[in-house]
Amino acid sequence: MPSGGASTPTLAVRNVEVVYGSAIHVLRGVSLEVQPGGIVALLGANGAGKTTLLRTVSGLLRFHRGSITKGSVEFQGDGIDSLDAAAIVRRGMAQVMEGRRIFAELSVDENLRAGAYSRRDRAGVKASSEQVLELFPVLAQRRRSTAGYLSGGEQQMLAMGRAMMAAPKLLVLDEPSLGLAPLIVQQIRDLIVEINRTGTDVLLVEQNATMALSIAHHGYVLENGLIAKDGPGPALLADSDIQEFYLGVGESGSRSFRDLKTYRRRKRWSA
Amino acid sequence: MTKFLSLLGDGLALGAVYALVALGFVVIYRATRVINFAQGGLVVFGAFLVYQGEHTWGLGFWVSVVFAMACCAAIGAAFEALVLRRMIGQPIFAIILITIGLFLLVEPVTTTVWHNPPGGIATPWKLHTVKLGDVRLLQVNIATVVLGAVVLGAFFLLFRYTRVGLAMRATAVDQEAALAQGISVRQIFALSWAIAGAVAVVGGMMLAGGAGPAPGLSVSLSLIALRAFPAIILGGLDSPGGAVIGGLVIGVAQVMTGGYVPAEVPALGAQFADVVPYVIMFLVLLVRPYGLFGTAEVERV
């Protein structure tokens, strides 16, 4: 198996098709790459298949009775589509799920320890713990508190800190800005940049396209289980279709509903 | 007063047994959200395995207990892996019925294998009494309370300070999130069943050894074990600490009723003590449906 080379992407999804319960086709041939050192944004409306794509990557698909019917997922050059979630975490991919999903009844400290479950090296875990508490000073102040009583923003930081406790090579984030105040969203954004700067690649799923594209090196737009568009972050941010449908800025103010429909139709045919 | 104190001793011993059985229920419920009605069966089976080791193979008491614990742990884990794992995603009702089925299997199997064993389990503490002032306490009851405390302490240490214990608690809160941390939820399920099996043996051994109003070694131990059910309802299905307190309360209430009611309130009948646990369960369900110590969900408002 190929491994390590400078050109090997950290994560490569190739032509993946996913069904739930052998009937519902959610992904219909999706390809996506995260290059070493990169932040990749994945945009798309509700139901486009973003979360499913993340589950496919992180091994949680089986938990939802979904399966990959075609294509492959490679992590640092090795096929991982047959591995379970635990094995994938051990290989160096950590996920922050949508809705944060912290362990509400455990303390902040215990949540962080749970994040390091896959690691056996005590010294390394201690180093990660110090790193995480430095990155998220809020958590350091509230280590003994019950996690469920943290504010939404603090919970999001706890979820990210917990994932970082696994010392991942790739951090996968599902809608970290969901339901948070603009100021907190900015803070989360800066933290993602900081995490990336210190050597963790990031795959970021967002509905907040402005936030995601402003930091992404590369972006993908998922629509009805297909990649409708992809390109460098700044280019997508400037793209008129993206501006209209994900950023809510029309070229000439607002357009009529009919135009929107033609766009959709065109989009589907072209893809 | 001396009557009260010696009844209290009996009650605490019976309560300790309930607590041990209830802990088994709670461990499985916390991890898998399944109420394992077969727990009482494991109690009986465990007691008979101790008998087997002691009488048939002459292994000695403690070796037999460890052997029985290992067997019941293996039975629990195997049942989870071979039967319940296929049921993941099925209605919880169906899973609970399977555990009832397993429970019903235990009686015929034990009677077939062991018939009616002539003797009981020979415990190191026998049925001697110890005098504390005027109060006479059975050795077996003291041993039961002490063993119960030891097992409970071990539970506390396991959940609070170990990596596996943390993983079990995390799994109890959110299975998918636990998976995403690299915790193998399957292993946690199997481990929970194994622990429940091992704890059941301790409870069964104490009952068969004469703790509380025990019938000795017989399949009807499972009926006594089933009375741990009011204990977990009282304590809260997902609280190990609640299981213990619930067990003790039910045990003491039952023994006290048995000690006083026939003389003081004859109208209630001599067997009223057997009903008391269920009366308490009923009252608790009316007032606090999640039990005294069960989690009312942690939520920010």
Side-chain angles (χ1 to χ4, degrees):
Chain A
M1 267 191 210
S3 70
S7 59
T8 314
T10 307
L11 178 73
V13 178
R14 301 193 208 283
N15 277 315
V16 158
E17 295 190 5
V18 167
V19 294
Y20 285 114
S22 77
I24 311 155
H25 237 85
V26 181
L27 297 182
R28 304 185 293 159
V30 170
S31 296
L32 170 152
E33 277 188 0
V34 180
Q35 294 296 339
I39 299 180
V40 169
L42 180 62
L43 311 177
N46 283 332
K50 302 186 300 287
T51 298
T52 299
L53 183 53
L54 293 198
R55 285 175 187 156
T56 309
V57 163
S58 64
L60 289 175
L61 202 54
R62 230 167 302 162
F63 186 83
H64 295 273
R65 317 210 139 229
S67 54
I68 304 174
T69 51
K70 215 173 181 186
S72 68
V73 182
E74 286 174 17
F75 183 59
Q76 297 184 304
D78 301 331
I80 56 167
D81 22 291
S82 59
L83 297 182
D84 64 6
I88 291 174
V89 175
R90 274 198 296 278
R91 281 179 178 240
M93 186 194 307
Q95 188 185 1
V96 176
M97 284 187 290
E98 186 180 349
R100 312 189 262 274
R101 304 291 283 276
I102 52 156
F103 301 118
E105 279 128 53
L106 307 192
S107 72
V108 168
D109 215 32
E110 287 168 336
N111 268 275
L112 294 178
R113 271 165 55 209
Y117 183 81
S118 57
R119 300 171 69 190
R120 290 287 194 174
D121 58 323
R122 284 181 173 234
V125 171
K126 191 154 181 280
S128 296
S129 165
E130 279 162 14
Q131 221 176 325
V132 164
L133 293 177
E134 198 180 318
L135 195 58
F136 305 97
V138 201
L139 303 182
Q141 288 162 25
R142 309 201 54 176
R143 289 178 70 166
R144 306 255 161 264
S145 333
T146 301
Y149 294 124
L150 299 182
S151 74
E154 288 166 345
Q155 289 190 7
Q156 183 60 51
M157 289 182 198
L158 177 56
M160 288 168 70
R162 183 177 65 179
M164 290 306 290
M165 287 297 287
K169 186 75 203 70
L170 174 69
L171 178 66
V172 176
L173 294 153
D174 197 351
E175 307 239 9
S177 75
L178 193 73
L180 298 181
L183 212 61
I184 310 284
V185 173
Q186 234 175 58
Q187 222 177 331
I188 299 279
R189 190 194 92 131
D190 295 345
L191 284 165
I192 295 172
V193 173
E194 177 62 21
I195 285 169
N196 178 246
R197 204 183 53 76
T198 50
T200 304
D201 305 342
V202 175
L203 174 58
L204 171 64
V205 160
E206 262 299 343
Q207 299 226 33
N208 185 338
T210 329
M211 184 274 234
L213 290 177
S214 68
I215 57 172
H217 303 124
H218 202 90
Y220 293 83
V221 177
L222 195 60
E223 248 182 43
N224 292 317
L226 292 165
I227 297 289
K229 203 172 206 115
D230 82 293
L236 286 182
L237 202 53
D239 186 284
S240 58
D241 285 346
I242 300 277
Q243 288 204 342
E244 186 167 349
F245 292 101
Y246 293 97
L247 308 181
V249 217
E251 276 166 14
S252 51
S254 64
R255 287 207 212 163
S256 77
F257 183 61
R258 186 184 307 175
D259 294 337
L260 191 144
K261 273 174 81 178
T262 33
Y263 165 82
R264 286 278 181 212
R265 219 173 287 143
R266 177 163 57 83
K267 214 64 221 173
R268 245 176 256 147
W269 286 336
S270 69
Chain B
M1 194 61 190
T2 47
K3 184 183 182 190
F4 176 80
L5 286 177
S6 69
L7 282 178
L8 186 66
D10 290 355
L12 287 177
L14 180 63
V17 173
Y18 287 161
L20 286 172
V21 180
L23 273 178
F25 276 106
V26 169
V27 167
I28 289 178
Y29 182 80
R30 275 173 61 96
T32 64
R33 302 288 136 178
V34 170
I35 296 173
N36 172 28
F37 280 94
Q39 190 68 22
L42 285 169
V43 169
V44 175
F45 207 66
F48 275 88
L49 280 171
V50 174
Y51 171 81
Q52 171 82 10
E54 221 185 7
H55 286 256
T56 318
W57 298 333
L59 286 178
F61 177 71
W62 291 109
V63 180
S64 306
V65 170
V66 172
F67 160 77
M69 285 173 81
C71 282
C72 279
I75 290 170
F79 181 66
E80 195 283 324
L82 299 177
V83 180
L84 292 185
R85 195 162 293 164
R86 294 166 200 282
M87 296 296 291
I88 288 177
Q90 305 299 320
I92 205 84
F93 169 69
I95 300 175
I96 289 174
L97 276 181
I98 289 184
T99 70
I100 293 179
L102 182 67
F103 177 69
L104 294 176
L105 259 181
V106 167
E107 186 168 332
V109 168
T110 36
T111 8
T112 312
V113 176
W114 286 285
H115 310 291
N116 276 317
I121 296 174
T123 56
W125 38 82
K126 317 244 165 41
L127 293 176
H128 296 313
T129 54
V130 180
K131 283 194 99 173
L132 279 176
D134 290 337
V135 185
R136 296 159 64 84
L137 295 172
L138 280 172
Q139 264 186 18
V140 58
N141 287 347
I142 297 172
T144 304
V145 173
V146 170
L147 255 180
V150 168
V151 172
L152 176 70
F155 260 79
F156 178 78
L157 294 177
L158 174 79
F159 278 127
R160 185 65 44 184
Y161 295 110
T162 68
R163 182 171 168 271
V164 162
L166 179 64
M168 290 177 78
R169 286 161 64 208
T171 307
V173 179
D174 187 336
Q175 280 177 18
E176 193 186 5
L179 275 173
Q181 311 311 316
I183 295 168
S184 168
V185 170
R186 287 179 178 193
Q187 278 174 21
I188 297 294
F189 281 16
L191 182 67
S192 303
W193 276 82
I195 291 176
V199 175
V201 173
V202 181
M205 175 265 288
M206 300 314 297
L207 275 178
L217 185 64
S218 91
V219 286
S220 61
L221 287 183
S222 64
L223 294 178
I224 297 179
L226 216 53
R227 235 171 270 147
F229 203 65
I232 51 171
I233 297 291
L234 176 63
L237 270 171
D238 56 358
S239 159
V244 173
I245 293 176
L248 293 178
V249 169
I250 298 284
V252 170
Q254 190 187 338
V255 171
M256 290 286 175
T257 324
Y260 287 113
V261 164
E264 314 285 336
V265 201
L268 284 174
Q271 303 302 317
F272 185 65
D274 292 344
V275 187
V276 162
Y278 296 99
V279 173
I280 296 176
M281 173 170 95
F282 177 70
L283 293 177
V284 170
L285 277 177
L286 285 181
V287 185
R288 284 177 73 96
Y290 40 86
L292 295 181
F293 303 94
T295 352
E297 263 173 51
V298 171
E299 204 174 352
R300 232 179 134 264
V301 267

